[in-house]
Every structure is written in structure tokens, then in C-alpha cells.
Amino acid sequence: MKTYQTQPNDSFASIAKKFNIKDENFLQTFHNLNCSESDVIYNELPSGTSILIPEDPQFLSENSESDLEQDCMNDHNFEEEAQSDHEYQENNEKEIDNSANEKSEEIKESENSSSEHDGKYFVIQKGMVQCNQGFKFPKLKVTSHQKHYWNDADGQADYLAVTEDDLQFDPPAQPFGQCKLKPSSGGYLPCTYAPVGKWTKTYDKVKVMGKCCVTELSELMCSTGGKITIFKHGQQSELGKRNVDNADSKEQQVYNPVVDFEEFKEEINGEDPFEVE
């Protein structure tokens, strides 16, 4: 993260373009989430203000990343042409070693990222969310599909799986009540929820119609500066015998890999040792 001193006629849009950031809303939200409360910017951008600039690749545009890769390739080719045959061979050997190390690191990172959802629940429509700048806890509203249900053979709407594209809440107007980032003499002003992008930290190994599923770890950013997280996933913590019979073993194994669900089902439905034939 770095800072930028704003100049006259600067705007979030022009600064985002200058630093190859995907969208001006990403820049404004990033600044508001990471700056002190006195430095939060709502509308106009004053000249001479220090703006926090993200350096994480997820905030950068694809063009900037491809340009950076191209520049690196050109520099690399220039250095190779200037080397002798002996140096060229040594550098190639080093590049092979570095490439192997990088792939090893990527595998480790992939394993670490996939494990963070272990033991966590998928979120369903009757789940509830919270905003760190709000006061109320609205329910989710699934609009991305009407196809997949978690732990409900009857297909009740409350059990629809929430995906990364489900950005609406119930109630739709002022879902979080008042906003702490909008103080006034008469109290906090009403929430004006406006999502920035999709849900993040979703589970990309399970998808519904090509969309990643939301879990208890998922997060969503609001353009005003609030961070929205899961308050309740909505699923029942305990399973009755009827639920066990209707549950899909493969699905259960995905979101609760610690439990051998087939063995658990046999225990629940096993013969009573005291039953008289």
C-alpha cells in the first residue's frame, strides 16, 4: 500500500486510471477502509489530500498486469542477448530452478487457500449478514439461480445456495439501517448500500451454474466503505434422522470433510441392538 498526494482537478477516476486500478469505486472503498476516520472521503476529492493506493494485484486492471509481464519479458530478452554463451547457459539453469521453486510455492499457496473453508458452512437464502458500519442484520436474497438447495430435498426457497453474484438483501431498502460513516447532527443517516463487485473469499471448488458458492468466510464491500460479512449461515447445526436420509453424502462431504457421512448415516439408521425379531 502506498500514498498519493492529490493535485488540482484530480478525481478518483483519474487516479484509478493513473495507477491502473480496475475501478474508481475500488480505489475509494480501499481508501475509506484503511484510512483513519477523519480521512474518510464521501464525495468531492480535496486537493492536497493523501490517498491510499492499493498494490494488491486483485485491484489492478488486467491490462496493467499484461503490460507489466510484457515489460519483464522485453527486459529479460535484452539481457539474454547481451550475455555470452556460458552466461546464457548459467542463467537458463537458474531460471529452471526458480520456475520449479515458484511452482512449488504456488502449490503450497493453493493447498493453504483451499483449506481455509474446511469445516465451514455454505450460506443459504435464510442466512443473515452484517455490515461493520451498520446496525441491522438483513437476510440474503438469491437471484442468480433457482436450482440448487443445501440440505433440503423439498426445494424450499429458504435453502437456495447463495453464490458470488447474489448481492441483494431482504429488506432491499436501507438493509443495514443507519450508516456509521454518515454522521449528522440528528444522528446517523440511512444506509445507502451499493455493492462493489462480487462476493470475495468464496469457495471456488463448488459452483452453481458456474458461480462460486458463498461460505461463512466470504466478504462483500460496499462503495460507502462498509465491509459485509456473514452473520448466520442459515443451516441447522444438527441433523435429525429424516435430514440424514434426505442429505446427499457427496455434498455433506464437501462442506464438512472431517465427518465420514456414510458412516454417520449407518450409525443413525443402524439396527437397534435391543430390537426383538
Side-chain angles (χ1 to χ4, degrees), residues 74-113:
N74 292 337
D75 292 342
H76 181 67
N77 292 334
F78 177 78
E79 291 174 0
E80 286 184 344
E81 292 174 359
Q83 292 172 341
S84 64
D85 292 340
H86 179 68
E87 291 173 339
Y88 180 80
Q89 183 177 359
E90 288 182 346
N91 285 336
N92 276 344
E93 292 174 353
K94 291 179 180 178
E95 288 174 3
I96 292 174
D97 291 339
N98 290 336
S99 177
N101 291 334
E102 290 174 358
K103 288 182 179 180
S104 177
E105 290 298 324
E106 289 175 358
I107 293 174
K108 290 181 181 179
E109 291 177 3
S110 177
E111 292 175 349
N112 292 335
S113 63

Side-chain angles (χ1 to χ4, degrees), residues 160-171:
L160 280 166
V162 179
T163 74
E164 59 186 334
D165 285 349
D166 292 315
L167 308 177
Q168 298 183 28
F169 303 124
D170 182 17

Side-chain angles (χ1 to χ4, degrees), residues 1-4 12 15-16 19 21-36 39-41 50-60 181 196 221-227:
M1 180 171 63
K2 54 188 177 183
T3 59
Y4 169 75
F12 277 110
I15 298 174
F19 289 97
I21 297 171
K22 289 181 179 179
D23 185 88
E24 59 183 287
N25 290 328
F26 277 96
L27 177 59
Q28 183 175 2
T29 300
F30 179 86
H31 172 79
N32 288 341
L33 284 176
N34 292 278
C35 69
S36 62
D39 292 332
V40 173
I41 300 174
S50 291
I51 299 297
L52 299 179
I53 306 296
E55 296 181 290
D56 192 318
Q58 68 174 326
F59 290 100
L60 303 179
L181 294 177
V196 177
M221 297 176 70
C222 174
S223 61
T224 304
K227 181 169 72 173

Side-chain angles (χ1 to χ4, degrees), residues 30-217:
F30 179 86
H31 172 79
N32 288 341
L33 284 176
N34 292 278
C35 69
S36 62
E37 186 173 351
S38 60
D39 292 332
V40 173
I41 300 174
Y42 299 110
N43 298 311
E44 296 183 0
L45 184 60
S47 177
T49 303
S50 291
I51 299 297
L52 299 179
I53 306 296
E55 296 181 290
D56 192 318
Q58 68 174 326
F59 290 100
L60 303 179
S61 64
E62 295 179 358
N63 291 336
S64 66
E65 294 177 3
S66 61
D67 292 343
L68 179 59
E69 292 175 357
Q70 186 64 40
D71 291 341
C72 292
M73 291 176 62
N74 292 337
D75 292 342
H76 181 67
N77 292 334
F78 177 78
E79 291 174 0
E80 286 184 344
E81 292 174 359
Q83 292 172 341
S84 64
D85 292 340
H86 179 68
E87 291 173 339
Y88 180 80
Q89 183 177 359
E90 288 182 346
N91 285 336
N92 276 344
E93 292 174 353
K94 291 179 180 178
E95 288 174 3
I96 292 174
D97 291 339
N98 290 336
S99 177
N101 291 334
E102 290 174 358
K103 288 182 179 180
S104 177
E105 290 298 324
E106 289 175 358
I107 293 174
K108 290 181 181 179
E109 291 177 3
S110 177
E111 292 175 349
N112 292 335
S113 63
S114 63
S115 64
E116 66 178 352
H117 291 278
D118 290 350
K120 301 299 180 181
Y121 281 89
F122 287 121
V123 180
I124 60 177
Q125 179 164 256
K126 70 174 183 177
M128 302 173 69
V129 295
Q130 60 186 352
C131 177
N132 64 347
Q133 304 299 339
F135 294 90
K136 294 186 178 181
F137 306 92
K139 292 183 178 181
L140 293 129
K141 183 176 182 180
V142 175
T143 58
S144 63
H145 72 95
Q146 297 291 314
K147 181 178 180 181
H148 190 82
Y149 304 80
W150 289 122
N151 282 339
D152 185 68
D154 298 329
Q156 299 181 51
D158 281 346
Y159 291 84
L160 280 166
V162 179
T163 74
E164 59 186 334
D165 285 349
D166 292 315
L167 308 177
Q168 298 183 28
F169 303 124
D170 182 17
Q174 304 175 19
F176 300 100
Q178 286 77 37
C179 180
K180 297 176 184 177
L181 294 177
K182 296 182 176 181
S184 68
S185 58
Y188 295 110
L189 296 178
C191 160
T192 54
Y193 161 70
V196 177
K198 303 179 179 181
W199 282 93
T200 61
K201 296 184 179 180
T202 51
Y203 193 42
D204 58 2
K205 290 189 176 182
V206 177
K207 297 184 178 181
V208 176
M209 301 179 67
K211 303 174 181 64
C212 298
C213 288
V214 172
T215 75
E216 296 174 274
L217 299 180

Side-chain angles (χ1 to χ4, degrees), residues 16 153 241:
K241 186 172 182 179

Side-chain angles (χ1 to χ4, degrees), residues 223-259:
S223 61
T224 304
K227 181 169 72 173
I228 300 165
T229 55
I230 302 301
F231 181 63
K232 291 183 178 181
H233 54 73
Q235 297 199 57
Q236 293 180 347
S237 299
E238 297 181 359
L239 294 175
K241 186 172 182 179
R242 179 182 177 185
N243 299 117
V244 172
D245 291 335
N246 293 335
D248 183 273
S249 298
K250 293 182 179 179
E251 291 180 359
Q252 295 295 323
Q253 197 65 35
V254 168
Y255 71 78
N256 198 358
V258 178
V259 177

